[in-house]
């Protein structure tokens, strides 16, 4: 991965700040997004069920198979052979959407549930032409 520069201060999303316009350090996206390369894969999100956690249609998900999923993690699972991205609710035995329009998905005894990995990050393009 090529390195790019990281500015020393945050970028204001309100009123512009005249201070801190210098670059601080080199930044590798691989270092931030990929901890275990061989166990990491990417997939494109489809739909609006995960908007409440900041995952939108066509975002790219960074998924790590080496992470042990814990309650509340955003995970990609194969449920009866169908891939889906949801919030893991082990305590109640279900998968949750992050959009009120969608009901929880119960996990019944005997159903095949394979956790493919934990969603570590997502990438969203803000320029429409890039998303095509």
């Amino acid at each position: 991965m090529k390195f790019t520069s990281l500015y020393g201060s945050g970028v204001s999303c309100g009123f512009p700040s005249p201070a801190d316009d210098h670059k601080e350090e080199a930044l590798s996206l691989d270092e931030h997004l990929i901890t275990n390369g061989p166990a990491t894969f990417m997939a494109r999100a489809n739909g609006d069920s995960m908007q409440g956690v900041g995952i939108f249609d066509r975002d790219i998900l960074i998924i790590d198979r080496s992470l042990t999923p814990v309650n509340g993690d955003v995970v990609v699972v194969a449920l009866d052979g169908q891939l889906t991205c949801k919030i893991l609710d082990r305590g109640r035995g279900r998968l949750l959407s992050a959009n009120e329009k969608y009901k929880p998905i119960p996990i019944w005894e005997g159903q095949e549930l394979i956790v493919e990995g934990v969603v570590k990050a997502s990438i969203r393009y803000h320029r429409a032409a890039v998303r095509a």
Side-chain angles (χ1 to χ4, degrees):
M1 174 60 142
K2 290 184 180 179
F3 286 87
T4 188
S5 297
L6 173 67
Y7 280 88
S9 64
V11 177
S12 175
C13 291
F15 292 103
S17 172
D20 292 329
D21 61 354
H22 68 282
K23 295 177 184 176
E24 183 176 283
E25 61 185 71
L27 173 78
S28 166
L29 292 178
D30 284 351
E31 269 182 39
H32 288 270
L33 299 176
I34 301 172
T35 309
N36 185 336
T40 302
F41 67 101
M42 292 183 263
R44 192 172 297 278
N46 291 318
D48 63 356
S49 72
M50 297 304 288
Q51 288 180 354
V53 292
I55 297 173
F56 293 84
D57 187 46
R58 311 249 330 125
D59 284 356
I60 297 171
L61 306 177
I62 311 296
I63 306 153
D64 190 334
R65 285 188 165 118
S66 71
L67 297 174
T68 301
V70 297
N71 198 48
D73 273 346
V74 175
V75 294
V76 171
V77 301
L79 182 61
D80 290 332
Q82 299 290 319
L83 284 178
T84 189
C85 177
K86 298 293 177 212
I87 300 166
L88 184 62
D89 183 1
R90 286 192 182 208
R92 295 186 175 162
R94 61 189 186 163
L95 300 169
L96 305 173
S97 296
N99 183 331
E100 294 177 359
K101 293 187 334 187
Y102 301 94
K103 293 181 181 181
I105 300 169
I107 303 167
W108 305 109
E109 192 170 324
Q111 266 187 312
E112 182 183 23
L113 175 73
I114 300 168
V115 178
E116 296 291 342
V118 175
V119 177
K120 185 173 178 186
S122 62
I123 300 170
R124 180 172 320 117
Y125 291 100
H126 294 275
R127 190 171 191 186
V130 176
R131 295 180 60 123

